[in-house]
Amino acid sequence: MKTITKLFTSAAIAVAMFATTNLNAQTMTSTTNGMAFKIGVGVSGGVFRDKSPMDYAYGADLKLQWDLLPYVAVTASGGYTKLLAKTNGIDVDFIPVKGGVKVFPIGRMYLATELGAGFGIQDGATSNFIYGGGIGYEFGGFDAGVRYEGYTNDSGSAAYFPKTGQYALRLGYNFKL
């Protein structure tokens, strides 16, 4: 677990260093009214805290981004996520639907926050509340970021797990609309 934590920390530092050394190379293209739309596809993988009943997670998503200003964007995303239990517990499959905000304080480096729901796929599973935040960098069409994503769940769910969260890395590509 310590090795994986070091890997995520190193990735976050690399993204931050890349962002601060290429500030002038990035320009934002937009439509005539100053706003731009992007659609992105991404894959992610994550690890959980030590006391979590889950071990690791993976998933894929489709993200819509609306650049309101050169330094603020609104996002909406949906996809598929699988949480794998540490032992013979219950693996959890769900469809996350989230909305969020990205703020670009330095060039195309961003801070992001998201809220949403995860709709369980298994019979008897209920939805869970998803919250998270992270840091990342957009370069060209590529998007790389690290985040913490927390989950709270209804104890009456067939796929119940206690409140937990993952540290995840997301790699994606954005297409301009």
Side-chain angles (χ1 to χ4, degrees), residues 12-26 106-110 135-139:
I13 291 169
V15 168
M17 287 176 53
F18 185 76
T20 57
T21 58
N22 292 314
L23 294 178
N24 296 327
Q26 303 299 320
I106 303 171
R108 297 312 295 164
M109 182 183 85
Y110 62 83
I135 185 170
Y137 192 75
E138 293 179 357
F139 46 98

Side-chain angles (χ1 to χ4, degrees), residues 26-86:
Q26 303 299 320
T27 59
M28 180 166 174
T29 59
S30 62
T31 59
T32 57
N33 64 0
M35 298 181 191
F37 285 97
K38 298 176 191 171
I39 190 163
V41 293
V43 294
S44 61
V47 295
F48 287 82
R49 301 177 297 202
D50 289 337
K51 295 183 180 181
S52 173
M54 301 299 168
D55 196 16
Y56 61 96
Y58 61 87
D61 63 57
L62 188 63
K63 184 175 281 195
L64 180 64
Q65 180 173 314
W66 181 22
D67 293 335
L68 298 173
L69 301 166
Y71 52 87
V72 178
V74 177
T75 63
S77 66
Y80 169 80
T81 300
K82 183 169 188 93
L83 310 179
L84 295 139
K86 283 185 179 174

Side-chain angles (χ1 to χ4, degrees), residues 136-158:
Y137 192 75
E138 293 179 357
F139 46 98
F142 293 99
D143 185 346
V146 292
R147 72 179 186 276
Y148 174 80
E149 189 168 80
Y151 308 102
T152 58
N153 197 331
D154 178 11
S155 62
S157 175

Side-chain angles (χ1 to χ4, degrees), residues 111-124:
L111 301 172
T113 185
E114 292 182 311
L115 295 173
F119 300 99
I121 296 173
Q122 289 99 334
D123 288 338

